Every structure is written in C-alpha cells, then in structure tokens.
Amino acid sequence: MDIKKWKPVRTFFTFLCLILCLLAAGCSNVKEPGKENGSDASGLVIGFSQLGSESAWRLGNTASMENAAAAHGINLVVNNGMQKQENQITAIRSFIAYQVDVIVFAPIVEDGWTNVLQEAKDAGIPVIMMDRVINVRDSDLYNAYIGPDHYQEGVNAAKFLIRKSEELQNEKIRIAEISGTEGSSPMISRYKGFHDLIDNNDRFEVLETISGDFLRSKGRECMESLLRKYPDQIDVLYSHNDAMTLGAIEVMEEHGIKPGKDIVIISVDGEQAAIDLLKEGKINCVVECSPMLGEAVMDLAEKIVSGQDYPRITRPEESVFTEYDDLSDLPPREY
Ligand code: AHR
C-alpha cells in the first residue's frame, strides 16, 4: 500500500485499538479528534499519563491538555495514574504497544523511569515530560520538558518570607513546612529553593518539614500534628501547594488561630480558592505555579512529529501574588 494512504489507516486503527484497550484498562477522556470546535483533525495520537487528580491544580492541568488537544484536532488518550507510579508505567507501556505518535507524562516521582523510557525510545516514540522532572542518567530518554521552575518557586517563597520578616518583631522566626509528595521534583525543588535562601540566616528556624502529599486531607492532618507538637510556637507556615494550605487553614481556624495574622502563610500554586483567601488576608503570599501547559505541549508534539526544531525546555510565565500587591484587577483563575 502507498505509504501516504497507510498513515491515516494506521492512525485510525491505532486510535480504535487505544479506545477499546485503554477504556478497558481504565483510561478516560479518549477524545475524538476535532469534534469540539470544528477544527480539522491532525490525526496525531498522544498518550497522556497524568499522575493523578490530587488537587485543583492537577484538574486544571488535565483540562488544559484536553482543551488544547481538542483545539488542535489531536487524539488525546488520558490515563489517570491515581497517584501510583506503577499505574503510570503500565499506561506508558500500553501507549508503546499501540504505537501512539507521542507520549506525554507527568511523573509522580523523580526516580524509576529508566526502563520504560528506554522501551519508548527503542520503539521510536518521542516522549514529552510535563510539569515534573525525573532523574535519569541518559537525558536522551525523553525529548523535551514543559513545566514550571519549581526551584524558583521555593526561592520566591523564601524571598517573600525575608521581606515579611522585616516587619515582624520576633527575634526568632519559627517555620513549619508542609511539603509535597516525597521523591517528587516539586517537593525536592521547592524545599531546596526555599532552604538555600534561609538556612544560613540564624533568625529563621524550620521546626519541622512534614509531607502532606499535595493533598488537602493530609494538609489537615499535618497541621493537626504540627499544632500538637509546637503549640503557640509556629510563626510561619510554608506549604508546598494550595490544596494542603486550604486543609491547614481549616485546622488553624478550628483551633482559634487567625491564619495570615497569628501565623504567616506562604503557599504555592495560585488556584482561585487560595487567591480568594489571600484577598481576605488569610494567606500572605501565593507563589504561582501554572498548570496551563496544554497549548505548549500540543505545539511541541506537532513540531517533534513533523521534524521541526523544538526547544528542549519550555517554561510558562509565572508570578508571585502577595498581600503587598493590588490584586483587584487579577483576572479569574482557570483552576
Ligand atoms: O507538580 C505540581 C504540583 O502538583 C502542584 O503544586 C500541586 O498542586 C500538584 O499536586
């Protein structure tokens, strides 16, 4: 058969097999190309391994991928890893088996990806890493990374703290840190960026860093535990995401503590609920981490498949929102 005729036929059968097999395996949101906005289908098939649905940030990120795929006429097959690396590895293997055109994945943790990415490379399937980064010796195991600079987010959080500390009277400023998922790149980098700036200053003391797994429910549990261990001692809460911050704030209020006043609160993400609390004075600083990566991912996938030059690293623009800013003109958040 003529190769030009074979390509759409192969794409159709790949997509059909993916729908049948991945729906059976728990994948969702298998979108028919180009239906949502009447755009022409590109015929590209992208297998997307999303790590879970732990936060509004994550839901916004998945929606951004789905909307951008629809706008580009790309067949997006989404698998939700439900917070488990083994589920993500299984999904990536099925994407390889069905020869998708591009694999996109948001790795839950940094380590443990070498074998499955080698399999994708051997199968000649390009891989885009999104949101989080991984630890692999051979960086050619993926083609490109699109996502925020999580180290800079930690630095931004510390910069706010340093500014805020100028107006605090305390001789020592005691910090409780609720971190993200152990072994994940945002957890590691937000920790490092923050500590690199404050650890050499004796005025700052981190009482404890405790993992809340980026979950609101665990943010609650962590705050309960921190208040039990350090009653009346916490001056600042540095929380690695808004979901955990929201849980922690609930607990503070249940204990009669005024968030944003009795305890200075620094959060990361920038979801609407956190911005609302910032405006109410219950959060002091929100470091933005943008989940709106879908458009950049689709552009990149098209460039890679059509053999054009493409950047190895793409970063979204990000900001820092603080109690010192006029936020009245801030447009509604999309997550
Ligand atoms: O990897 C990005 C982080 O993951 C976001 O800060 C958080 O909300 C999500 O769970």
Side-chain angles (χ1 to χ4, degrees):
M1 189 188 275
D2 178 342
I3 191 81
K4 284 194 186 118
K5 286 188 186 147
W6 166 243
K7 167 75 181 166
V9 174
R10 186 192 73 102
T11 303
F12 174 75
F13 278 110
T14 301
F15 189 58
L16 196 65
C17 288
L18 271 166
I19 289 174
L20 296 175
C21 298
L22 295 176
L23 280 178
C27 289
S28 62
N29 297 320
V30 184
K31 298 270 182 190
E32 250 195 286
K35 291 288 179 195
E36 284 75 359
N37 60 1
S39 65
D40 288 336
S42 74
L44 219 62
V45 179
I46 295 183
F48 171 37
S49 166
Q50 177 60 285
L51 66 87
S53 44
E54 72 283 4
S55 58
W57 190 101
R58 187 65 52 200
L59 300 179
N61 178 245
T62 304
S64 159
M65 288 288 286
E66 289 172 347
N67 295 339
H72 281 244
I74 287 175
N75 308 305
L76 185 73
V77 182
V78 186
N79 179 274
N80 183 335
M82 310 292 282
Q83 257 64 44
K84 286 198 165 52
Q85 184 177 34
E86 59 268 34
N87 292 346
Q88 288 201 274
I89 291 175
T90 302
I92 294 171
R93 290 212 163 107
S94 56
F95 296 148
I96 297 169
Y98 291 101
Q99 300 180 320
V100 297
D101 295 300
V102 178
I103 292 171
V104 180
F105 80 126
I108 183 152
V109 288
E110 285 194 345
D111 293 328
W113 301 100
T114 304
N115 292 345
V116 73
L117 293 187
Q118 187 61 55
E119 290 163 32
K121 189 176 178 186
D122 293 345
I125 301 176
V127 172
I128 298 173
M129 199 163 66
M130 188 199 55
D131 165 28
R132 301 185 179 179
V133 298
I134 57 172
N135 250 336
V136 277
R137 243 184 248 143
D138 176 5
S139 60
D140 284 348
L141 287 179
Y142 57 88
N143 295 63
Y145 168 67
I146 294 189
D149 184 340
H150 298 306
Y151 178 83
Q152 187 58 43
E153 290 161 2
V155 168
N156 291 343
K159 280 186 179 164
F160 173 80
L161 175 59
I162 291 164
R163 179 174 177 191
K164 180 77 183 173
S165 67
E166 287 163 16
E167 68 185 60
L168 299 176
Q169 307 302 317
N170 331 20
E171 197 184 317
K172 269 243 176 256
I173 295 175
R174 289 155 305 184
I175 303 156
E177 178 175 11
I178 304 183
S179 73
T181 303
E182 299 271 9
S184 71
S185 65
M187 182 266 162
I188 294 165
S189 300
R190 286 174 188 166
Y191 175 92
K192 193 163 185 333
F194 185 77
H195 285 258
D196 279 356
L197 256 72
I198 61 148
D199 280 0
N200 58 3
N201 184 333
D202 287 345
R203 193 164 172 226
F204 298 120
E205 181 192 350
V206 177
L207 295 167
E208 186 170 335
T209 303
I210 177 171
S211 172
D213 217 3
F214 288 126
L215 292 165
R216 184 176 182 142
S217 56
K218 290 212 182 152
R220 276 193 64 92
E221 285 170 25
C222 291
M223 201 64 227
E224 292 280 9
S225 149
L226 289 163
L227 290 176
R228 252 192 323 272
K229 277 189 178 164
Y230 310 101
D232 300 322
Q233 290 173 60
I234 302 170
D235 302 308
V236 175
L237 171 68
Y238 168 42
S239 160
H240 287 202
N241 87 343
D242 289 342
M244 299 185 299
T245 307
L246 298 178
I249 285 176
E250 278 169 11
V251 172
M252 286 181 200
E253 290 185 323
E254 285 160 17
H255 283 73
I257 294 167
K258 289 197 195 78
K261 309 241 163 1
D262 299 335
I263 296 181
V264 171
I265 299 184
I266 306 171
S267 188
V268 184
D269 272 358
E271 61 182 68
Q272 187 65 55
I275 297 295
D276 291 344
L277 291 177
L278 173 61
K279 287 179 178 170
E280 280 177 47
K282 293 184 176 182
I283 292 180
N284 306 78
C285 170
V286 179
V287 175
E288 186 181 28
C289 171
S290 176
M292 297 300 145
L293 306 173
E295 186 57 35
V297 169
M298 301 307 147
D299 279 347
L300 186 65
E302 286 171 343
K303 282 199 174 114
I304 293 175
V305 170
S306 62
Q308 295 176 51
D309 289 344
Y310 59 87
R312 173 95 175 141
I313 297 177
T314 307
R315 299 221 184 267
E317 267 184 39
E318 294 181 315
S319 185
V320 181
F321 309 111
T322 78
E323 61 188 357
Y324 304 122
D325 305 319
D326 175 7
L327 300 171
S328 51
D329 285 341
L330 192 66
R333 314 291 293 161
E334 293 171 84
Y335 55 106

